[in-house]
Amino acid sequence: MGLTEKEAAKRLKEEGENILSEGKRPGAVKIFIGQFKDVMVMILLAATVISVFLGEITDAVTIILIVLLNAVLGFIQEFRTEHTLEALKSMTAPTARCRRDGKLKEIEASRLVREDVIELEAGDRIPADCVVLKASGFYADESILTGESTAVQKNVENTSDTDNSLNKRNIVYCGTSAVKGNCTARVIATGKSTQMGKISELLTDIEKEMTPLQKRLAELGKVVALICIGVCIAVFTAGIIRGEDTFEMLMTGITIAIAAIPEGLPATVTIALALAVSRMMKMNALVNKLHSVETLGCASVICSDKTGTITENKMTVTEAFSGGLPYYFSGMGYRAEGEVTKGIDNASINPVTEKALSELMKCSVLCSTATIKTDKELRRRNRGAIKSSGEWQTSGDPTEIALLIAAAKIGVTAETLSSSNRRIEEYPFDSETRFMAVLIQTEASKRMYLKGAEEVIIPRCSRYMDEKGSIVPLTASMKKLISNQASDMSCRALRVLAMAYCDTDSLEPERGDLVFLGFMGMIDPPREEAKTAIRKCAAASVRTVMITGDHKNTAVAVAKKAGLLKGGLAMTGSELDKLSDEELDRVIGKYTVFARVEPVHKLRIVRSFKRRGEIVTMTGDGVNDAPAIKEADVGVAMGMTGTDVTKQAADVILLDDNLATLVNAVEQGRCVYANIRKFVRYLLSCNIGEVLTMFLGIIMGMPIILLPVQLLLVNLVTDGLPAIALGLEPPDSDIMSRPPRKSTDGFFSGGLMTKIAFRGILIGLSTLASFSMIMRMGGSVEAGRTAALITLVMSQLIHVFECKSETKTLFKINPFSNLKLVFAAAVSFAVLMAAVTVPQLSAVFSTVMLTSDQLLAAFGLSAAVPIISSLIKSIKRSPEAE
């Protein structure tokens, strides 16, 4: 059975390796060159060339250093992400046990070829699409391909089958996991021909668009370019009108235009994004693409997978029915906590007196192949090496684990039963019979316990155990009560398992006349943090939409528990198929749950939301999610359960698979964009002030107000440090109470350009007034320039605190909420004072010591600017308050 090594080598050469095709990853050089494609960077490069031409070598060197700093920061972030993805991929590289030359060998999965025969057992990742040749209780988790959370049993049917279509019982699929049993299978498809490979190929058809921030920065670049051209033309025209030399005025116009460029802006944006990426990494969100940080901030729809993202991905027993009474279980997931209560009044119970419930739990433990261990047991076995995590350590089928944990809540465990109950024989669960049975040797006799679907177990029962432990006939009225209870649980999307027993000397799985013990209802519950995250999204006007491959009833029940289905509707994939794109666009806003969906449905849902102008975030873990993840404005992959294909398609990876982490990332994205607006406002206002000072000075026939070296000092130190510190502003307390900005909103929306221009004019006029006042007081030109420099820098340092808020005046802003900004302003002030008072530096910057009256005038004009600005803002707001 199987191929020879020679045959396999020939096929490998003809068909290629068993790997998924990847888009060629950009090399280090390409990543670095890509940092220079931004409009603002191109303007700065043009300014560098012009500065060299004009002989302004210092300016040219300064600008090129800033451009290189920006490029290096962006390169480091992207290059680090590429390596992180490679590390994640290497962690999941599989091997395969394959029969070659008649022997079972372990080889790299990439060397598998068609017709190879492989062996699979629980815990293996299936390395290729294969047809099943032999199977013994073999189950596979196919959720990464189908979204279905329940493991699928695989059977031997047509062993010559070569059709690897989805949802076939005799085919196992590449990338899925074996969860129970073992099987022998023959490879029928490898690499791109597998189902995983086919879905991966869909990704090549999807083109990524520019992010909102990239569009806004391109828009900003155009505005800056227009300002530069406008300044150059205005200065040149004014000089010609005044009779100045044409060439000299052209050079002067170009020089001032270059001064209008906020050189530090690209680097400051990159630093702000990189720092946000670092903060998000600490919150378990790995950002693949730098600009995705900000895009998250304007997300208006989050399309989330259900299993493991909104839910725990841990089945949990929440209810039981035994002895004619209902019982309720607290505690979620695998946490070693919770208690059991009884009846509608949730009365506490004494497990010793609850005979029927205790026997039900005994059955669930004995009729199981799963295991759970407490940390105490693990510490004992490992000499105390394991610390308590507050959770059970589990192994086996999730449904059986849930039953064992429920039993442990009343003290019934494998350890407490092992001394008086020994398993003799087992009849494994089968998808056809839908039950499991075990024969147990007790202290007194042999007993057969059964566990399975309630519609299979209950009809075979003629008696039941009542609350006190007595065996009584199963009357018609009791059967009706049991049926109603089971139906009620099923309607609430609980998975119901019934249990029974009978005393017998041999294992008789099909025997009737059973004693009914009860049944338990379980569900994969929503995460508590997911509920909080969904509420937080609602407050921020961000819609959360659940998209799952599970049944509609299950999806709706989970959505209700998670707080998602408040007035929203649910739609299945088959219902979606009946709608045209236009019809879907009209109604999609009414739906918050999409169930039984396939990859093509997810893609349609994302595209429909985008056509409606929404900024869409899509989460997922399986290969079936990858096309929709790539199509979304922000694609988010699960770090723990996600496949390599999904991670490569994603912009962000949630390392803890938690929806709450994504919502925190949205908050960080909003904060980043708000901070970018803050420092853009600051830098442009300052630059407009500088340009206006120089421009008006020329028009008015005054001496040059500020020398190039003084302007360089302002741009390098007093502009740069505070701007970077503004990028570190903490989120506003109400940032997640505001609706997301619209995709059509411009960068200067909300009157930002008016604020920038108005404040820049005030800075320019106050600087010019400072120069003029000192000259009128009989000061020298050097004194006038020193006073102008002080007024310009100080008015900018005061303005940086105004930029902390777009709505509050300076007097209502807490200056100490960002100590880094206070520090940056203090450093800038110290540099200014050093440039004026230290003799060696004053010689470099052509400054002089001022008299007390001159200093008072310079500082007074600096303070006048924010006072006037705040008064005007207050006057404008007072009619609105009325």
Side-chain angles (χ1 to χ4, degrees):
M1 186 182 288
L3 300 175
T4 64
E5 287 287 0
K6 187 176 180 181
E7 290 171 330
K10 183 181 177 183
R11 283 181 183 261
L12 188 64
K13 188 175 181 181
E14 292 172 351
E15 300 175 4
E17 289 188 317
N18 177 35
I19 56 176
L20 301 178
S21 61
E22 291 184 16
K24 189 176 179 182
R25 287 190 178 276
V29 175
K30 190 172 181 181
I31 291 174
F32 186 72
I33 292 173
Q35 308 303 315
F36 296 92
K37 294 179 180 178
D38 184 78
V39 176
M40 276 298 301
V41 172
M42 290 179 181
I43 292 173
L44 289 175
L45 290 174
T48 305
V49 173
I50 294 170
S51 296
V52 171
F53 176 73
L54 294 175
E56 300 289 347
I57 303 301
T58 305
D59 281 0
V61 170
T62 301
I63 295 171
I64 203 69
L65 285 175
I66 290 170
V67 169
L68 285 173
L69 173 63
N70 175 68
V72 168
L73 287 170
F75 168 79
I76 290 171
Q77 177 59 38
E78 287 192 34
F79 195 70
R80 183 189 296 151
T81 295
E82 294 293 333
H83 278 269
T84 305
L85 284 173
E86 287 299 322
L88 287 170
K89 184 178 178 183
S90 66
M91 288 167 62
T92 58
T95 58
R97 292 189 305 282
C98 175
R99 292 199 174 274
R100 295 270 178 91
D101 294 325
K103 298 177 182 177
L104 188 63
K105 303 177 179 180
E106 185 163 314
I107 64 171
E108 292 180 8
S110 59
R111 290 175 51 206
L112 283 177
V113 296
R114 283 188 309 108
E115 301 300 323
D116 262 329
V117 175
I118 62 174
E119 299 290 334
L120 298 167
E121 61 184 24
D124 287 345
R125 173 170 287 196
I126 296 163
D129 288 2
C130 309
V131 62
V132 176
L133 303 179
K134 296 178 184 176
S136 175
F138 188 75
Y139 286 78
D141 177 359
E142 298 180 352
S143 58
I144 66 165
L145 283 175
T146 64
E148 181 62 64
S149 56
T150 306
V152 180
Q153 185 173 20
K154 297 298 178 178
N155 305 314
V156 179
E157 293 175 7
N158 178 10
T159 57
S160 59
D161 195 351
T162 58
D163 176 14
N164 66 333
S165 300
L166 281 174
N167 300 311
K168 295 182 72 172
R169 292 279 179 172
N170 66 324
I171 304 293
V172 291
Y173 301 97
C174 176
T176 61
S177 302
V179 295
K180 189 189 292 187
N182 56 74
C183 88
T184 303
R186 185 177 64 250
V187 177
I188 60 173
T190 61
K192 291 188 291 184
S193 300
T194 63
Q195 279 296 326
M196 183 180 278
K198 289 175 183 177
I199 297 176
S200 176
E201 290 292 298
L202 285 176
L203 301 176
T204 60
D205 299 331
I206 300 170
E207 292 293 329
K208 267 291 182 184
E209 301 173 354
M210 289 177 70
T211 68
L213 181 60
Q214 287 171 322
K215 292 176 184 176
R216 301 299 165 256
L217 290 178
E219 172 191 317
L220 177 60
K222 291 173 185 175
V223 170
V224 170
L226 289 173
I227 290 173
C228 292
I229 294 169
V231 167
C232 187
I233 292 171
V235 171
F236 176 75
T237 304
I240 295 301
I241 292 171
R242 291 181 60 227
E244 302 287 347
D245 179 74
T246 303
F247 181 75
E248 184 180 333
M249 292 314 300
L250 178 62
M251 293 301 99
T252 303
I254 291 172
T255 302
I256 295 177
I258 290 173
I261 300 171
E263 297 95 338
L265 181 58
T268 308
V269 169
T270 304
I271 289 169
L273 291 173
L275 290 172
V277 166
S278 178
R279 289 195 300 272
M280 289 169 66
M281 187 67 179
K282 293 174 183 175
M283 298 175 180
N284 289 321
L286 169 67
V287 178
N288 290 349
K289 299 174 180 66
L290 202 59
H291 282 267
S292 300
V293 177
E294 179 277 333
T295 312
L296 270 170
C298 53
S300 56
V301 174
I302 295 176
C303 297
S304 175
D305 192 22
K306 175 182 73 69
T307 306
T309 308
I310 291 178
T311 67
E312 295 265 7
N313 197 20
K314 297 170 182 174
M315 294 297 288
T316 304
V317 172
T318 57
E319 297 179 33
F321 182 82
S322 182
L325 294 171
Y327 294 86
Y328 302 97
F329 295 73
S330 64
M332 292 295 178
Y334 295 169
R335 290 183 283 277
E337 61 187 25
E339 59 180 15
V340 184
T341 56
K342 178 173 65 174
I344 57 174
D345 55 351
N346 284 321
S348 298
I349 65 166
N350 179 358
V352 177
T353 61
E354 304 293 331
K355 301 293 186 182
L357 179 66
S358 295
E359 195 65 23
L360 175 70
M361 296 304 175
K362 183 178 178 180
C363 176
S364 70
V365 172
L366 296 175
C367 197
S368 175
T369 57
T371 60
I372 62 171
K373 299 182 180 70
T374 63
D375 288 339
K376 184 177 179 181
E377 291 165 359
L378 287 172
R379 283 197 300 273
R380 187 178 68 245
R381 295 179 190 182
N382 294 278
R383 298 182 180 179
I386 297 177
K387 294 181 180 179
S388 175
S389 66
E391 287 205 354
W392 293 97
Q393 307 298 316
T394 65
S395 173
D397 180 78
T399 299
E400 293 190 337
I401 290 170
L403 296 175
L404 294 183
I405 291 174
K409 288 175 183 177
I410 65 165
V412 179
T413 66
E415 286 69 30
T416 62
L417 298 175
S418 59
S419 60
S420 56
N421 296 274
R422 180 175 59 86
R423 182 181 298 187
I424 301 171
E425 197 175 348
E426 175 188 331
Y427 176 81
F429 183 87
D430 183 271
S431 59
E432 298 297 323
T433 59
R434 302 175 67 195
F435 72 90
M436 172 187 181
V438 291
L439 184 64
I440 300 293
Q441 176 66 63
T442 68
E443 290 177 333
S445 62
K446 292 178 182 177
R447 178 170 287 183
M448 180 176 69
Y449 288 100
L450 298 93
K451 173 188 72 182
E454 47 94 12
E455 61 267 30
V456 172
I457 298 294
I458 295 175
R460 293 167 56 187
C461 296
S462 59
R463 297 164 293 163
Y464 79 98
M465 183 179 287
D466 67 14
E467 182 184 3
K468 297 177 181 179
S470 302
I471 309 303
V472 296
L474 187 58
T475 61
S477 59
M478 179 53 71
K479 271 192 174 182
K480 186 176 181 180
L481 176 61
I482 291 171
S483 177
N484 289 341
Q485 287 286 335
S487 178
D488 176 61
M489 286 188 186
S490 296
C491 287
R492 288 184 282 117
L494 269 65
R495 186 179 182 190
V496 179
L497 282 181
M499 296 175 207
Y501 81 92
C502 70
D503 291 319
T504 176
D505 290 332
S506 60
L507 187 66
E508 303 174 82
E510 303 298 332
R511 176 172 171 166
D513 193 29
L514 303 177
V515 177
F516 177 69
L517 293 173
F519 48 73
M520 287 193 262
M522 66 197 76
I523 195 168
D524 181 10
R527 294 172 180 250
E528 286 302 319
E529 56 268 42
K531 294 179 184 178
T532 303
I534 289 166
R535 287 195 298 271
K536 199 171 181 180
C537 282
S541 300
V542 178
R543 289 189 60 201
T544 307
V545 175
M546 180 196 290
I547 303 178
T548 179
D550 270 353
H551 292 279
K552 186 175 180 178
N553 285 352
T554 303
V556 167
V558 170
K560 284 180 179 177
K561 287 179 178 288
L564 264 179
L565 212 63
K566 294 179 179 178
L569 302 174
M571 179 188 290
T572 63
S574 58
E575 291 168 344
L576 193 151
D577 283 332
K578 297 173 184 176
L579 300 176
S580 66
D581 285 347
E582 292 75 17
E583 290 171 330
L584 180 60
D585 292 349
R586 283 197 299 271
V587 302
I588 196 168
K590 301 176 183 177
Y591 291 86
T592 52
V593 174
F594 294 88
R596 303 303 281 173
V597 294
E598 297 176 2
V600 66
H601 296 139
K602 296 183 179 185
L603 207 53
R604 281 193 70 194
I605 291 165
V606 170
R607 286 173 174 167
S608 179
F609 276 123
K610 288 179 73 174
R611 285 193 297 269
R612 287 166 57 97
E614 307 282 4
I615 301 295
V616 184
T617 298
M618 174 74 194
T619 77
D621 53 7
V623 177
N624 60 333
D625 298 319
I629 281 175
K630 191 169 183 181
E631 176 67 32
D633 295 291
V634 183
V636 181
M638 301 297 115
M640 296 170 69
T641 58
T643 61
D644 294 328
V645 173
T646 316
K647 291 170 186 172
Q648 289 162 11
D651 303 298
V652 178
I653 298 173
L654 302 184
L655 301 180
D656 59 357
D657 293 9
N658 196 332
L659 182 65
T661 300
L662 177 57
V663 176
N664 289 336
V666 170
E667 183 173 2
Q668 283 298 319
R670 289 189 174 192
C671 177
V672 164
Y673 187 75
N675 288 349
I676 289 173
R677 276 176 63 99
K678 289 172 186 176
F679 61 66
V680 165
R681 174 187 175 189
Y682 172 68
L683 288 173
L684 289 185
S685 295
C686 294
N687 279 46
I688 287 173
E690 294 163 22
V691 169
L692 194 64
T693 299
M694 302 297 289
F695 176 59
L696 291 177
I698 290 171
I699 288 179
M700 295 168 69
M702 302 172 104
I704 294 176
I705 307 298
L706 292 169
L707 297 174
V709 69
Q710 292 170 339
L711 280 174
L712 188 63
L713 175 68
V714 173
N715 287 335
L716 274 185
V717 182
T718 59
D719 279 4
L721 284 177
I724 292 171
L726 264 181
L728 300 174
E729 277 286 302
D732 293 340
S733 58
D734 64 342
I735 199 165
M736 288 301 282
S737 301
R738 309 171 196 160
R741 69 180 188 279
K742 296 177 182 177
S743 58
T744 54
D745 285 352
F747 193 88
F748 300 103
S749 62
L752 185 63
M753 194 69 237
T754 303
K755 292 186 180 80
I756 290 170
F758 176 72
R759 198 62 172 80
I761 290 169
L762 287 180
I763 290 173
L765 291 177
S766 64
T767 304
L768 201 62
S770 182
F771 181 87
S772 301
M773 188 176 290
I774 299 304
M775 297 295 288
R776 288 180 182 177
M777 291 169 67
S780 64
V781 172
E782 289 76 15
R785 285 174 179 155
T786 302
L789 178 65
I790 291 173
T791 300
L792 177 63
V793 172
M794 289 306 300
S795 59
Q796 289 180 359
L797 292 183
I798 295 171
H799 180 50
V800 77
F801 289 96
E802 286 184 294
C803 292
K804 286 165 64 73
S805 173
E806 291 187 30
T807 57
K808 297 177 182 177
T809 64
L810 183 63
F811 309 115
K812 293 185 178 180
I813 291 171
N814 177 11
F816 302 106
S817 62
N818 180 2
L819 292 178
K820 296 181 182 68
L821 181 59
V822 175
F823 176 75
V827 169
S828 296
F829 176 74
V831 169
L832 172 66
M833 289 297 97
V836 172
T837 59
V838 177
Q840 293 84 349
L841 292 178
S842 63
V844 172
F845 294 106
S846 302
T847 59
V848 295
M849 283 294 293
L850 300 180
T851 66
S852 57
D853 288 344
Q854 290 171 338
L855 281 172
L856 184 62
F859 281 108
L861 285 167
S862 302
V865 172
I867 292 172
I868 294 169
S869 178
S870 295
L871 284 174
I872 291 172
K873 191 181 284 187
S874 299
I875 292 167
K876 279 184 177 179
R877 194 170 296 164
S878 57
E880 295 175 12
E882 292 172 8

